[in-house]
Amino acid sequence: MKSLLAVAAVAALSLPLVPAHAAPAPQTRTTSAATALRAPAYKQYVALGDSWSADVVFANSDGTPDDTYAPIDCAQSHHNYPKIIAATLGVPIKDATCGSATTDDFTAPQDLPAGGQNPPQFNRLTKQTDLVTVGIGGNDAGIAGAGMDCLNALPVANPLPDGTVPSLPDNPVPIIGSEPPLGGCKAKYTAGGHDRLSERIQESEPKLVAAFRAIHRISPKARILAIDYLSLVPDHGCYPTVPATDEDMAYIHAKFIELNAMVKQAAAEGGAEFVNTFTPTLGHDFCQLPTVRYGEIYGPSVNDPAVGVPAHPNAAGARAQAAVILKYLRNH
């Protein structure tokens, strides 16, 4: 088991944030039969995306991660939002979602930390595919590393001059960042008067647009839903639950709002439908009580009992994501 500090540093694989007044978490693993009857009928559903769509876990009541659709080191939950949607709609699913994925992994194999390899996610698409969900963009923009740079072992800004503490060795899996956990992400990414993280977010937009257009070419019958990032990260620190300064958290919060706006714009340009999961999940961020929050900073969760990958949605978050997407399908 990693130290509390190292585990906390995972708080970067993806994030969003805000205040507290929002929809209650769905209480069952699947939505009602009535919901399924009202939803459109689909013949083949393919889920594409990164860790927030895989709803990654290390272990839960089902045991180890689901390796039905992807290698075990993709860390897919047995009850991620794609599987809940498929079960509710009664549609066959091919779930390609995988931790740490980028749009590059749509067309090329993804090497995984335990030695596995997820085939190109687009390999699951066929001409018969008529429903696709896509949750991607955060890793393309470097949000994982940026979020980890915000983590701070101290409840105050770094008291040491820049360069005093040496960088850590590169790690292929973003469990800890390349810098010691002493915060300062805002200063790092805005040094010199321009915001490098904002630039990376905008540079990622053409990649998402190209991905949506490619899905249309491979699966011309498909309805493509672009899923944004859940509202998990508050715009302030709350030691020890979220170990970061208010300034850094406000900064990374703003970047995730930009990230979701970029996903929405890319969807419009690429011919996908944008589904807003951020707004309906306000008030369930990492700072909330264990039975209220939709994600965990450190991993262990009571919602349902599990050891998840830190800084990711928990089981309640997966159900909330599924509920928002199913409601969208019913109403559009």
Side-chain angles (χ1 to χ4, degrees):
M1 203 69 176
K2 296 178 175 61
S3 69
L4 191 64
L5 200 56
V7 174
V10 181
L13 279 164
S14 330
L15 345 146
L17 354 98
V18 286
H21 50 276
Q27 297 301 309
T28 58
R29 290 198 173 201
T30 59
T31 52
S32 68
T35 296
L37 290 174
R38 289 195 300 270
Y42 297 97
K43 295 180 179 179
Q44 186 184 96
Y45 167 33
V46 174
L48 308 173
D50 59 24
S51 54
W52 276 38
S53 292
D55 288 309
V56 290
V57 296
F58 290 130
N60 59 15
S61 59
D62 300 291
T64 54
D66 189 0
D67 62 356
T68 305
Y69 309 99
I72 194 169
D73 35 351
C74 277
Q76 280 186 12
S77 167
H78 289 263
H79 306 285
N80 62 1
Y81 77 73
K83 296 184 183 75
I84 296 173
I85 290 170
T88 303
L89 297 180
V91 58
I93 185 175
K94 297 180 181 180
D95 188 352
T97 60
C98 193
S100 300
T102 70
T103 53
D104 290 341
D105 302 312
F106 283 174
T107 56
Q110 179 184 355
D111 292 328
L112 302 172
Q117 189 178 73
N118 193 25
Q121 293 196 25
F122 280 178
N123 282 13
R124 280 75 159 193
L125 297 168
T126 72
K127 292 188 181 301
Q128 285 68 51
T129 302
D130 53 0
L131 178 63
V132 180
T133 56
V134 185
I136 204 77
N139 294 323
D140 288 82
I143 292 296
M148 287 185 290
D149 286 335
C150 293
L151 296 177
N152 193 342
L154 306 171
V156 295
N158 180 10
L160 302 175
D162 291 342
T164 301
V165 181
S167 297
L168 301 175
D170 287 339
N171 188 335
V173 183
I175 297 299
I176 59 175
S178 60
E179 301 293 331
L182 294 172
C185 64
K186 179 178 179 181
K188 175 179 179 178
Y189 288 99
T190 60
H194 64 101
D195 192 323
R196 285 182 290 284
L197 196 53
S198 289
E199 291 168 359
R200 292 179 189 177
I201 291 170
Q202 293 309 310
E203 289 166 359
S204 300
E205 184 177 322
K207 299 178 182 179
L208 271 67
V209 173
F212 295 137
R213 291 175 177 171
I215 295 168
H216 278 301
R217 290 193 296 271
I218 299 168
S219 302
K221 299 177 183 177
R223 183 178 186 183
I224 305 170
L225 305 184
I227 313 301
D228 70 354
Y229 288 89
L230 207 59
S231 174
L232 291 188
V233 182
D235 58 359
H236 57 279
C238 53
Y239 280 84
T241 306
V242 178
T245 64
D246 289 347
E247 181 180 31
D248 278 351
M249 290 301 288
Y251 171 74
I252 203 69
H253 167 63
K255 298 307 104 177
F256 276 99
I257 291 177
E258 290 180 24
L259 174 66
N260 280 343
M262 181 275 286
V263 172
K264 183 177 183 178
Q265 180 61 30
E269 294 180 30
E273 300 172 58
F274 176 74
V275 180
N276 174 8
T277 67
F278 181 87
T279 303
T281 56
L282 295 177
H284 297 274
D285 57 72
F286 291 131
C287 280
Q288 304 306 315
L289 294 173
T291 55
V292 175
R293 58 184 178 241
Y294 284 169
E296 309 295 338
I297 279 289
Y298 300 112
S301 173
V302 299
N303 243 335
D304 303 322
V307 179
V309 176
H312 283 80
N314 57 27
R319 292 192 290 270
Q321 289 172 300
V324 171
I325 297 165
L326 287 164
K327 181 178 180 180
Y328 179 89
L329 288 172
R330 289 198 307 271
N331 295 335
H332 295 83

Short mmCIF file of all heavy atoms in Angstrom, two decimals, residues 15-16 26 46 66 75 92 133 180 184 189 193 207 215 230 235 242 248-250 255 260 268 290 298 300 311 313:
data_model
loop_
_atom_site.label_atom_id
_atom_site.label_comp_id
_atom_site.label_asym_id
_atom_site.label_seq_id
_atom_site.Cartn_x
_atom_site.Cartn_y
_atom_site.Cartn_z
N LEU A 15 -10.21 15.53 -13.50
CA LEU A 15 -10.95 16.20 -12.46
C LEU A 15 -11.83 17.31 -12.98
O LEU A 15 -11.58 17.85 -14.00
CB LEU A 15 -10.00 16.80 -11.40
CG LEU A 15 -8.57 16.35 -11.38
CD1 LEU A 15 -7.66 17.47 -10.95
CD2 LEU A 15 -8.40 15.19 -10.43
N PRO A 16 -12.84 17.75 -12.23
CA PRO A 16 -13.66 18.92 -12.37
C PRO A 16 -14.16 19.38 -11.00
O PRO A 16 -13.97 18.71 -10.02
CB PRO A 16 -14.80 18.53 -13.28
CG PRO A 16 -14.59 17.13 -13.68
CD PRO A 16 -13.45 16.61 -12.83
N PRO A 26 -28.11 8.06 -7.79
CA PRO A 26 -29.04 6.96 -7.99
C PRO A 26 -28.71 5.86 -6.97
O PRO A 26 -27.57 5.63 -6.65
CB PRO A 26 -28.72 6.50 -9.42
CG PRO A 26 -28.10 7.69 -10.07
CD PRO A 26 -27.36 8.39 -8.98
N VAL A 46 -20.82 0.74 -28.32
CA VAL A 46 -19.38 0.73 -28.07
C VAL A 46 -19.03 1.91 -27.17
O VAL A 46 -19.42 3.05 -27.46
CB VAL A 46 -18.57 0.81 -29.39
CG1 VAL A 46 -17.08 0.95 -29.09
CG2 VAL A 46 -18.82 -0.45 -30.23
N ASP A 66 -12.73 -5.82 -14.20
CA ASP A 66 -13.38 -6.59 -15.27
C ASP A 66 -12.46 -6.70 -16.48
O ASP A 66 -12.02 -5.69 -17.03
CB ASP A 66 -14.67 -5.88 -15.66
CG ASP A 66 -15.55 -6.69 -16.61
OD1 ASP A 66 -15.15 -7.81 -16.97
OD2 ASP A 66 -16.64 -6.19 -16.96
N ALA A 75 -8.23 -1.69 -15.74
CA ALA A 75 -8.89 -1.44 -14.45
C ALA A 75 -10.36 -1.08 -14.57
O ALA A 75 -10.91 -0.36 -13.74
CB ALA A 75 -8.14 -0.37 -13.65
N PRO A 92 -26.18 -5.10 -26.50
CA PRO A 92 -24.82 -5.66 -26.39
C PRO A 92 -23.79 -4.54 -26.36
O PRO A 92 -23.91 -3.55 -27.07
CB PRO A 92 -24.68 -6.52 -27.65
CG PRO A 92 -26.07 -6.78 -28.10
CD PRO A 92 -26.87 -5.58 -27.71
N THR A 133 -20.43 6.00 -26.90
CA THR A 133 -20.12 7.06 -25.93
C THR A 133 -18.60 7.26 -25.94
O THR A 133 -17.84 6.31 -26.05
CB THR A 133 -20.59 6.72 -24.51
OG1 THR A 133 -20.04 5.47 -24.09
CG2 THR A 133 -22.10 6.67 -24.44
N PRO A 180 8.08 16.81 -6.36
CA PRO A 180 7.62 16.49 -5.00
C PRO A 180 6.28 17.16 -4.73
O PRO A 180 6.00 18.24 -5.26
CB PRO A 180 8.73 17.09 -4.12
CG PRO A 180 9.93 17.16 -5.01
CD PRO A 180 9.40 17.45 -6.38
N GLY A 184 1.98 24.40 -5.93
CA GLY A 184 2.54 25.37 -6.86
C GLY A 184 2.19 25.14 -8.31
O GLY A 184 2.86 25.65 -9.20
N TYR A 189 2.39 26.45 -14.21
CA TYR A 189 1.78 26.44 -15.53
C TYR A 189 1.48 27.82 -16.08
O TYR A 189 1.12 27.95 -17.25
CB TYR A 189 0.52 25.57 -15.52
CG TYR A 189 0.87 24.09 -15.42
CD1 TYR A 189 0.83 23.43 -14.21
CD2 TYR A 189 1.29 23.38 -16.54
CE1 TYR A 189 1.17 22.09 -14.11
CE2 TYR A 189 1.64 22.04 -16.46
CZ TYR A 189 1.58 21.40 -15.24
OH TYR A 189 1.93 20.08 -15.14
N GLY A 193 3.87 34.42 -17.97
CA GLY A 193 2.75 35.22 -18.45
C GLY A 193 1.81 34.53 -19.41
O GLY A 193 0.90 35.17 -19.95
N LYS A 207 -7.71 16.92 -32.05
CA LYS A 207 -7.62 15.47 -31.89
C LYS A 207 -8.99 14.87 -31.61
O LYS A 207 -9.35 13.82 -32.14
CB LYS A 207 -6.66 15.12 -30.75
CG LYS A 207 -5.23 15.59 -30.97
CD LYS A 207 -4.35 15.24 -29.77
CE LYS A 207 -2.93 15.74 -29.95
NZ LYS A 207 -2.08 15.42 -28.78
N ILE A 215 -15.04 8.12 -36.16
CA ILE A 215 -16.09 7.19 -35.72
C ILE A 215 -17.24 7.20 -36.72
O ILE A 215 -17.79 6.14 -37.06
CB ILE A 215 -16.59 7.58 -34.31
CG1 ILE A 215 -15.48 7.41 -33.28
CG2 ILE A 215 -17.81 6.73 -33.91
CD1 ILE A 215 -15.78 8.03 -31.93
N LEU A 230 -17.16 14.54 -15.00
CA LEU A 230 -17.97 14.67 -13.81
C LEU A 230 -17.45 15.79 -12.90
O LEU A 230 -16.27 16.09 -12.87
CB LEU A 230 -17.87 13.32 -13.08
CG LEU A 230 -18.97 12.83 -12.18
CD1 LEU A 230 -20.29 12.71 -12.94
CD2 LEU A 230 -18.59 11.46 -11.61
N ASP A 235 -13.29 23.75 -5.78
CA ASP A 235 -12.42 24.88 -6.16
C ASP A 235 -11.65 25.39 -4.94
O ASP A 235 -11.26 26.54 -4.88
CB ASP A 235 -13.23 26.01 -6.80
CG ASP A 235 -14.32 26.53 -5.88
OD1 ASP A 235 -14.47 26.01 -4.75
OD2 ASP A 235 -15.03 27.47 -6.28
N VAL A 242 -8.58 16.72 0.54
CA VAL A 242 -7.98 17.17 -0.73
C VAL A 242 -6.79 18.04 -0.36
O VAL A 242 -6.95 19.22 -0.02
CB VAL A 242 -8.99 17.95 -1.59
CG1 VAL A 242 -8.31 18.44 -2.86
CG2 VAL A 242 -10.18 17.07 -1.94
N ASP A 248 -4.25 26.89 -5.75
CA ASP A 248 -3.98 25.85 -6.74
C ASP A 248 -5.26 25.13 -7.15
O ASP A 248 -5.47 24.83 -8.34
CB ASP A 248 -2.96 24.85 -6.21
CG ASP A 248 -1.53 25.33 -6.36
OD1 ASP A 248 -1.31 26.37 -7.02
OD2 ASP A 248 -0.62 24.67 -5.81
N MET A 249 -6.12 24.85 -6.19
CA MET A 249 -7.36 24.16 -6.52
C MET A 249 -8.26 25.02 -7.38
O MET A 249 -8.91 24.53 -8.31
CB MET A 249 -8.08 23.73 -5.25
CG MET A 249 -7.37 22.61 -4.50
SD MET A 249 -7.16 21.11 -5.50
CE MET A 249 -8.84 20.53 -5.56
N ALA A 250 -8.33 26.31 -7.09
CA ALA A 250 -9.13 27.20 -7.92
C ALA A 250 -8.60 27.22 -9.34
O ALA A 250 -9.37 27.26 -10.32
CB ALA A 250 -9.13 28.61 -7.33
N LYS A 255 -9.28 25.08 -15.04
CA LYS A 255 -8.78 24.35 -16.21
C LYS A 255 -9.74 23.23 -16.62
O LYS A 255 -9.92 22.95 -17.80
CB LYS A 255 -7.39 23.77 -15.94
CG LYS A 255 -6.30 24.80 -15.64
CD LYS A 255 -6.20 25.87 -16.72
CE LYS A 255 -6.81 27.18 -16.26
NZ LYS A 255 -6.67 28.26 -17.26
N ASN A 260 -13.90 20.86 -20.24
CA ASN A 260 -15.26 20.47 -20.62
C ASN A 260 -15.80 21.34 -21.75
O ASN A 260 -16.52 20.87 -22.64
CB ASN A 260 -16.18 20.53 -19.40
CG ASN A 260 -16.04 19.30 -18.52
OD1 ASN A 260 -15.52 18.28 -18.92
ND2 ASN A 260 -16.52 19.41 -17.29
N ALA A 268 -19.32 19.59 -31.25
CA ALA A 268 -20.06 20.35 -32.25
C ALA A 268 -19.37 20.29 -33.61
O ALA A 268 -20.00 20.13 -34.65
CB ALA A 268 -20.23 21.80 -31.79
N PRO A 290 -18.29 10.91 2.84
CA PRO A 290 -18.11 9.66 2.10
C PRO A 290 -19.38 9.15 1.41
O PRO A 290 -19.29 8.56 0.33
CB PRO A 290 -17.63 8.68 3.17
CG PRO A 290 -16.93 9.53 4.17
CD PRO A 290 -17.72 10.81 4.22
N TYR A 298 -8.32 9.22 -2.23
CA TYR A 298 -7.33 8.22 -1.82
C TYR A 298 -7.64 6.81 -2.33
O TYR A 298 -6.76 5.96 -2.32
CB TYR A 298 -7.22 8.20 -0.29
CG TYR A 298 -6.77 9.53 0.27
CD1 TYR A 298 -7.62 10.30 1.03
CD2 TYR A 298 -5.49 10.01 0.00
CE1 TYR A 298 -7.22 11.53 1.52
CE2 TYR A 298 -5.08 11.24 0.49
CZ TYR A 298 -5.94 11.99 1.25
OH TYR A 298 -5.54 13.21 1.73
N PRO A 300 -10.08 4.13 -1.23
CA PRO A 300 -11.10 3.38 -0.50
C PRO A 300 -12.44 4.11 -0.50
O PRO A 300 -12.50 5.32 -0.33
CB PRO A 300 -10.52 3.27 0.91
CG PRO A 300 -9.04 3.35 0.70
CD PRO A 300 -8.86 4.32 -0.43
N ALA A 311 -8.57 9.55 -6.98
CA ALA A 311 -8.99 10.69 -7.80
C ALA A 311 -9.83 10.27 -9.00
O ALA A 311 -9.66 10.77 -10.10
CB ALA A 311 -7.79 11.51 -8.26
N PRO A 313 -14.02 8.54 -10.14
CA PRO A 313 -15.39 8.31 -9.67
C PRO A 313 -15.49 7.01 -8.87
O PRO A 313 -14.79 6.03 -9.16
CB PRO A 313 -16.19 8.19 -10.98
CG PRO A 313 -15.38 8.94 -11.99
CD PRO A 313 -13.96 8.70 -11.61
#
